[in-house]
Amino acid sequence: MADEDLDAVMDLRAAVAGEGRWIGAELPLDEEGDRARIRPGRPGTGAFVAIAEEGTLIANLGIELAPYGVAHLGMCVADGWRGRGVGRALLTEAIDWGRTAGAHKLELQCWPHNDAAHRLYEGMGFVQEGYLRRHYPRNNGELWDAVVMGLVLDEERPGSSLH
Ligand SMILES: CC(C)(COP(=O)(O)OP(=O)(O)OC[C@H]1O[C@@H](n2cnc3c(N)ncnc32)[C@H](O)[C@@H]1OP(=O)(O)O)[C@@H](O)C(=O)NCCC(=O)NCCS
């Protein structure tokens, strides 16, 4: 992602948020906060986009490495471009970024009804690690569950010795 992609990424996020069923963000977006968080080049973050041949930005992925070594990610593919391998390509880049950045694990959350996301993440080796019941308030007054998924990159370091 380059600086000049930021407007298109915000438009994409607004469009996907407007679908009302896939991502955590809802309309209206927190423009100022999102721009500050999503802009490329922020230390400890990776930002990726997919651009179609005609130049349209069709997907983005953001990943942020927490101080404790876990990288958190979120992504969007534009309606009309889904199911064509774009998500898989971006996630492959993000996993590489995580390894290079020294993350021992990647983590994300998705809605239980998001079958495409589950299929993508499980296909890349993520496993369900948690289930958050009635966790996220939505603008329509509902409380949505969320699935926590993780991909461990470091299986070598010992786990806890306190049993
Ligand atoms: C979820 C999302 C990122 C997946 O990206 P994508 O480009 O559509 O997925 P890909 O084409 O790379 O496919 C990846 C895998 O998911 C599967 N898949 C894609 N769409 C699917 C669908 N609607 N139902 C079931 N499986 C689906 C593909 O078959 C593929 O699996 P395979 O490798 O076993 O064949 C994308 O659909 C999206 O952005 N949706 C809206 C926003 C969103 O949900 N973001 C993620 C929030 S957690």
Side-chain angles (χ1 to χ4, degrees), residues 30-73:
D30 167 14
E31 278 275 334
E32 202 180 325
D34 281 1
R35 281 180 179 275
R37 191 172 48 79
I38 290 168
R39 71 177 173 78
R42 200 159 58 80
T45 67
F48 300 91
V49 294
I51 314 267
E53 268 175 352
E54 80 272 22
T56 313
L57 188 147
I58 56 169
N60 87 298
L61 183 152
I63 182 165
E64 177 157 9
L65 182 61
Y68 51 90
V70 175
H72 299 258
L73 69 94

